[in-house]
């Protein structure tokens, strides 16, 4: 089982699509059933063998640091009240001391800039990037699937999935070359194309394994689509010189940065919970048109 030791979580975005909920509360802290979105991402990375969780945060995001800390008063109260299972769940969800590292993106200049802010912590080794909004429910953690693919190819690997034609303008889209075992050679990446210009319907989803050379390309601070420093632009520059693949991963992805995707995630995950599934199913039945 291959692993990627360092994973970067860029969480400095403004989350404007989920306003007003995200005016004060970071979108990564919104709950899906009873866990904040960020916790699903951290658990996925941990299950994939990651040992250093690097958060690129911004103003108003310190609540995430508290979430991954020991809450002394709460823990001792739960202990006194003998609420063992609640306490166990809380402590098991915590990364070990020193495993979480926070750095700041001082202004939201784009995803590429956020990843660049982690350059000194990542150093000179392949690393993962996880966009927390993309909650992926799978048998094998999606980050593990990417790490295994990276071990085979030695290059950059992006999670990809087929999207309806009319949605290509929401994603980076792959111009596909040869295909083998779920891996698609990336010949070109097109950021948010109109359906007519899209080279395929294979969209890049928020999981990546990248070679450290990406930082050299990001250092150019080239402004791209939307006036932001785009990760896609820097990735494009590595195509041709290093192996570059998209992986059609096994699993279901929910876009929790979008209201409908967020609602779907809550319903799908709650339906799977033994203590909630039947009750929720009966409630949903009363809403059927
Ligand atoms: P999004 O495109 O989802 O932007 O960013 P956003 O600001 O988070 O949300 P909306 O679109 O305004 O609702 C993709 C990922 O990149 C991070 C975000 O936190 C998110 O995980 N990001 C984006 C940064 O860390 N810094 C940035 O400057 C931009």
């Amino acid at each position: 089982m291959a692993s990627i030791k360092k994973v970067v979580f860029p969480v400095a975005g403004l989350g404007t699509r989920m306003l007003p909920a995200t005016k004060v509360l970071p979108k990564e802290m919104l709950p899906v059933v009873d866990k904040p979105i960020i916790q699903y991402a951290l658990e996925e990375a941990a299950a994939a063998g990651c040992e250093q969780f690097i958060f690129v945060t911004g103003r108003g995001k310190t609540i995430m640091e508290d979430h991954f800390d020991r809450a002394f008063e709460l823990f001792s109260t739960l202990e006194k009240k003998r609420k063992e299972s609640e306490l166990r769940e809380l402590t098991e969800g915590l990364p070990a001391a020193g495993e979480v590292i926070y750095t700041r993106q001082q202004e939201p200049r784009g995803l590429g800039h956020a990843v660049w802010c982690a350059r000194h912590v990542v150093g000179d080794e392949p690393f993962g990037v996880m966009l927390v909004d993309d909650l992926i429910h799978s048998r094998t953690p999606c980050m593990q699937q990417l790490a295994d693919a990276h071990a085979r190819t030695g290059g950059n690997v992006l999670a990809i999935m087929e999207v309806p034609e009319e949605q290509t303008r929401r994603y980076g889209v792959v111009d596909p070359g040869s295909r083998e075992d779920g891996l698609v050679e990336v010949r070109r990446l097109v950021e948010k194309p109109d359906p007519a210009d899209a080279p395929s319907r294979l969209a890049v989803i928020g999981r990546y394994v990248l070679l450290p050379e990406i930082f050299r390309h990001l250092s150019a601070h080239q402004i791209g689509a939307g006036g932001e420093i785009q990760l896609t632009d820097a990735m494009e520059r590595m195509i041709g010189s290093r192996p570059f693949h998209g992986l059609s991963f096994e699993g279901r992805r929910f876009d929790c940065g979008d209201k409908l995707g967020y609602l779907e995630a809550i319903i799908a995950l709650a339906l799977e919970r033994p203590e909630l599934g039947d009750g929720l199913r009966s409630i949903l039945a009363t809403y059927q048109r």
Side-chain angles (χ1 to χ4, degrees):
M1 192 172 95
S3 66
I4 289 287
K5 297 294 169 212
K6 298 182 179 182
V7 172
V8 175
F9 303 86
V11 289
L14 299 177
T16 54
R17 281 171 295 161
M18 296 295 266
L19 281 168
T22 48
K23 183 178 169 203
V24 175
L25 186 69
K27 71 172 165 184
E28 297 80 9
M29 289 302 294
L30 294 173
V32 169
V33 190
D34 52 7
K35 274 197 284 192
I37 296 173
I38 187 89
Q39 178 119 15
Y40 290 91
L42 189 119
E43 286 174 5
E44 179 188 324
C50 168
E51 290 168 0
Q52 288 185 36
F53 308 92
I54 304 160
F55 289 89
V56 181
T57 71
R59 284 176 64 74
K61 304 269 182 169
T62 45
I63 188 176
M64 278 190 258
E65 295 187 35
D66 292 337
H67 181 73
F68 291 120
D69 199 1
R70 293 185 77 83
F72 176 72
E73 301 85 344
L74 175 64
F75 287 16
S76 66
T77 308
L78 291 176
E79 218 165 70
K80 273 188 215 131
K81 294 194 166 175
R82 302 205 174 281
K83 299 210 166 208
E84 276 106 12
S85 67
E86 287 85 347
L87 187 60
R88 197 170 339 104
E89 204 183 335
L90 281 178
T91 43
E92 280 173 2
L94 283 183
E99 284 184 352
V100 200
I101 298 144
Y102 300 93
T103 184
R104 281 231 183 179
Q105 184 189 26
Q106 290 142 324
E107 328 165 53
R109 296 178 63 191
L111 174 60
H113 183 258
V115 171
W116 179 77
C117 289
R119 67 200 180 282
H120 293 306
V121 191
V122 170
D124 195 23
E125 60 185 283
F127 65 104
V129 174
M130 288 177 65
L131 304 190
V132 172
D133 296 4
D134 280 334
L135 198 161
I136 298 179
H137 193 51
S138 55
R139 282 192 300 273
T140 305
C142 185
M143 200 22 102
Q144 178 68 61
Q145 298 178 45
L146 291 190
D148 290 340
H150 166 76
R152 278 192 278 149
T153 66
N156 298 294
V157 188
L158 318 177
I160 54 169
M161 68 180 235
E162 211 158 281
V163 296
E165 199 176 300
E166 65 280 6
Q167 288 184 12
T168 56
R169 56 170 72 86
R170 292 202 217 155
Y171 299 92
V173 174
V174 167
D175 181 1
S178 59
R179 297 174 192 236
E180 206 187 321
D181 288 346
L183 278 176
V184 176
E185 185 199 351
V186 176
R187 289 199 304 200
R188 207 161 47 101
L189 286 167
V190 186
E191 187 64 29
K192 303 190 169 68
D194 281 334
D197 306 324
S200 73
R201 293 199 285 124
L202 295 175
V204 177
I205 302 304
R207 300 286 185 278
Y208 315 71
V209 170
L210 297 172
L211 299 175
E213 277 119 278
I214 189 85
F215 293 120
R216 193 158 42 79
H217 300 293
L218 286 170
S219 300
H221 286 187
Q222 188 197 315
I223 307 293
E228 295 195 331
I229 300 170
Q230 297 287 354
L231 185 61
T232 306
D233 294 339
M235 290 193 302
E236 264 256 86
R237 285 197 208 101
M238 284 197 276
I239 297 173
S241 62
R242 294 302 222 128
F244 211 126
H245 294 86
L247 175 75
S248 298
F249 58 96
E250 165 274 312
R252 178 136 196 196
R253 169 258 189 182
F254 304 99
D255 179 3
C256 291
D258 170 79
K259 285 173 195 160
L260 269 182
Y262 174 65
L263 292 172
E264 188 189 354
I266 294 174
I267 293 170
L269 270 60
L271 284 173
E272 290 209 346
R273 296 267 286 260
E275 76 283 18
L276 296 173
D278 289 345
L280 180 58
R281 221 167 262 117
S282 335
I283 293 171
L284 289 175
T286 67
Y287 284 86
Q288 257 152 30
R289 273 187 281 183

